[in-house]
Amino acid sequence: MILGVSINEILTLTSILFFIGVYGFITRKNLISILISLELILNSSIINFVVINKYLYPELLQGMVYSIFIIAVAAAETALAVAIIINIYRRTGSVEVNETETMKH
């Protein structure tokens, strides 16, 4: 349906983006980097919803509707996470994951 691009190429690209996000989520120690990796994971799933919907059912908009819901949830999650990260930074002066253990006291 997209001229010059096959579904395999798009799904390969989104799989690479997904696994880059998973790698970043697992290996990073900075909370901002972890949040960016999580957003990369969500965005790759959004692209998958739209592409699979476009190729399987071009007349239906269900993939796009699910994508809008995922974007709304991701925006709410990002706003909440940034608020928590700012609070952690005010208390500890750092946004490293290791520093969040001091919040337990």
Side-chain angles (χ1 to χ4, degrees), residues 1-2 7 10-11 14 44-58 60 63-64:
M1 302 292 168
I2 300 173
I7 191 168
I10 296 172
L11 293 180
T14 57
S44 67
S45 67
I46 290 170
I47 294 170
N48 278 341
F49 273 126
V50 172
V51 167
I52 290 172
N53 182 54
K54 180 74 174 169
Y55 277 89
L56 293 180
Y57 306 104
L60 299 177
M64 283 113 191

Side-chain angles (χ1 to χ4, degrees), residues 3-64:
L3 297 177
V5 181
S6 70
I7 191 168
N8 291 333
E9 293 169 346
I10 296 172
L11 293 180
T12 301
L13 176 67
T14 57
S15 297
I16 291 169
L17 288 174
F18 180 83
F19 287 114
I20 289 172
V22 169
Y23 176 76
F25 187 80
I26 292 171
T27 60
R28 299 292 178 192
K29 300 294 182 201
N30 188 330
L31 291 172
I32 301 292
S33 299
I34 292 172
L35 182 63
I36 291 170
S37 297
L38 186 63
E39 290 298 320
L40 191 61
I41 292 169
L42 290 172
N43 287 333
S44 67
S45 67
I46 290 170
I47 294 170
N48 278 341
F49 273 126
V50 172
V51 167
I52 290 172
N53 182 54
K54 180 74 174 169
Y55 277 89
L56 293 180
Y57 306 104
E59 67 280 351
L60 299 177
L61 297 176
Q62 292 169 339
M64 283 113 191

